[in-house]
Every structure is written in C-alpha cells, then in structure tokens.
Amino acid sequence: MKLLLINPNTSGAMTESIARVARSVALPGTEVLAVHPSFGPASIECQYDEAFAAAGVAEQVRRAEAWRPDAIVLACFGDPGLDAAREASGLPVIGVAEAAFHAASLVATSFSVVTTLTRTCITAERLLHRYGFERLCRGVHGTDIPVLDLEEPSEPLVQRIEQAARAALAKDRSGAIVLGCAGMATLCAELSARLQVPVIDGVSVAVKLAESLVSLGLSTSRLGDYASPPAKPYSGWASDLGWQP
Ligand code: 2AL
C-alpha cells in the first residue's frame, strides 16, 4: 500500500526523522511518501501556527492526489486539518494524537501525556475531550522544550522528558506515557527502555492503524459531514486548491 505521511510543520529535518520512524514500523509492502507543506510555521506550538498548518495539510492532500495514496497519516500532535483531510481525500486519515490515545487506552487503564511547551497542554486537553478520552487521561504535562529542539535531541533533553514522564506517572497514578509531539517519535524506544512502562509514539501507532484500516477495506465515510467538499472557486494563493470533483 501507499501511505502519505504529512508532517504539518515545515521542518525538513523533522519530516525526515519522522519518516524514518514510520518506515521502521511499516510492513515491507508499505511505501511511505513523507511531505510537509510548502508554506507555514517551522513548528506548531500555538493556535496561530495551527491555523496555517491545517491549510498546509489540505494543500499536501491535494498535491499528493496524483500519487494515489491508500491512506494518510498526519504527524503533528494537534492533528491539524484532520477533518479537512478526511473530507478532501475520502481515505483513511489517522492523526497521531487520536492514534496514540487509542493505543494507550488498550495497554493501561489510564495514561499521561508528556508534551512540549506548557501552553500546548491546553490544546492536548481539548483533543482528549473531542475524542472522548478525558476520563482515561489523568494528566497532560509540559516540558517547555521547543519543538525544534527535538530535531537533534541531546542527552539532557532526553533526560528532561524522562523526568517529566516519571513525575507524571507518580502524580497521575497512570500506567502509560503518550509522547505529545511527533518530533518525539525518535525517542520512543529509548524512553520505553528507561521508564519500563508502555511509551506510545503516535506516529508508529498511526502507521499501523492506517495499514489495518486499508487491509480491512475501511475508509472514511462519505455519509454526513465527511462527504466530499462542494466544488467552488478558490482565490488568491489557494486558487488551485479549491475542491473539484
Ligand atoms: C507538535 C508536533 O507534533 N509537531 C509540531 O510542530 N508541534 N506538537 C506539540 N505539542 O508541540
């Protein structure tokens, strides 16, 4: 199958490292095309960033149509543009936050999220409510690590995440850690070894869920609000991105 992996931020280095993780868990027959928007923020750390990132996701969904993907993974923990990507593509589209919450709920009775800037905790909490996981997540914890510091993680940075995770497990009395940034995907194996609890990287889970849905023949419903967008002209820099059947 062909899997389109969209990193909604514009960091080429992060796109590459996320793609390496995705390819390391993908089945031998899964081809991963990793892309990022042609415009927008280098990292997504606030709602202003997210507004541009969602448009960038829509852009990349349209640009990749010719490649004919079977499924799409959105590799940013805010899941920006998730609904738009489902509408526009009709394919299985998996956001890494939604994927990680599902996986965590299967391996522990409750979990904690460890993320980047403290301000993004509120975004993660909103997503937990939106997806219905607020009862299972016992805490969202910021580390105040800027997303771009994860491009080349140093040992002190890994230790900061490890310490935040240990504190979260103790304070929340939870059984698993969800990594609250796609840029943390490369650290999952190391943190799993150090923490000795399930550590969930949403990128890996999203790849496996996308493969599962494709193999089961399950795709986005076209009934209701995931129906194709109505065709209409778009203007300005988005003039070639309006949905045409
Ligand atoms: C993210 C992420 O996954 N990628 C990005 O640029 N920002 N999420 C986060 N909580 O910082």
Side-chain angles (χ1 to χ4, degrees):
M1 65 170 266
K2 290 160 88 171
L3 179 65
L4 177 66
L5 176 74
I6 304 177
N7 171 19
N9 74 37
T10 54
S11 162
M14 193 166 287
T15 305
E16 274 318 300
S17 61
I18 292 169
R20 273 195 296 279
V21 172
R23 291 188 181 110
S24 74
V25 300
L27 292 168
T30 299
E31 187 185 353
V32 177
L33 175 65
V35 299
H36 61 70
S38 68
F39 59 88
S43 63
I44 300 154
E45 300 178 316
C46 66
Q47 298 180 67
Y48 188 79
D49 294 342
E50 270 207 20
F52 284 92
V57 165
E59 178 212 26
Q60 289 305 307
V61 168
R62 299 308 312 279
R63 299 268 184 262
E65 275 168 2
W67 188 64
R68 299 196 149 275
D70 297 296
I72 299 172
V73 165
L74 302 185
C76 171
F77 202 75
D79 293 351
L82 179 65
D83 289 323
R86 286 183 178 148
E87 263 184 23
S89 70
L91 298 170
V93 182
I94 315 288
V96 297
E98 193 173 18
F101 299 153
H102 277 281
S105 75
L106 299 172
V107 296
T109 54
S110 64
F111 61 88
S112 303
V113 177
V114 174
T115 187
T116 54
L117 303 190
T118 300
R119 65 183 292 170
T120 69
C121 293
I122 300 166
T123 306
E125 284 162 6
R126 276 216 211 98
L127 282 184
L128 286 158
H129 278 271
R130 179 186 156 188
Y131 298 143
F133 284 98
E134 70 276 9
R135 281 190 308 109
L136 298 181
C137 178
R138 296 174 66 98
V140 181
H141 304 262
T143 55
D144 288 321
I145 293 171
V147 170
L148 292 181
D149 284 8
L150 293 161
E151 282 181 342
E152 286 183 27
S154 61
E155 174 54 27
L157 181 143
V158 180
Q159 281 177 14
R160 252 166 85 186
I161 299 171
E162 180 190 351
Q163 277 158 16
R166 283 191 198 286
L169 291 164
K171 178 169 182 289
D172 298 348
R173 288 179 285 117
S174 59
I177 292 292
V178 165
L179 298 177
C181 180
M184 293 179 181
T186 55
L187 306 177
C188 186
E190 179 62 30
L191 289 165
S192 300
R194 293 189 192 190
L195 294 167
Q196 293 294 301
V197 296
V199 177
I200 292 129
D201 151 42
V203 176
S204 303
V205 178
V207 169
K208 302 316 285 181
L209 284 180
E211 289 178 336
S212 300
L213 292 184
V214 169
S215 70
L216 292 167
L218 287 170
S219 199
T220 294
S221 173
R222 287 314 210 177
L223 187 64
D225 65 345
Y226 279 153
S228 296
K232 70 187 65 166
Y234 271 41
S235 57
W237 60 266
S239 57
D240 64 335
L241 296 175
W243 205 85
Q244 305 296 335

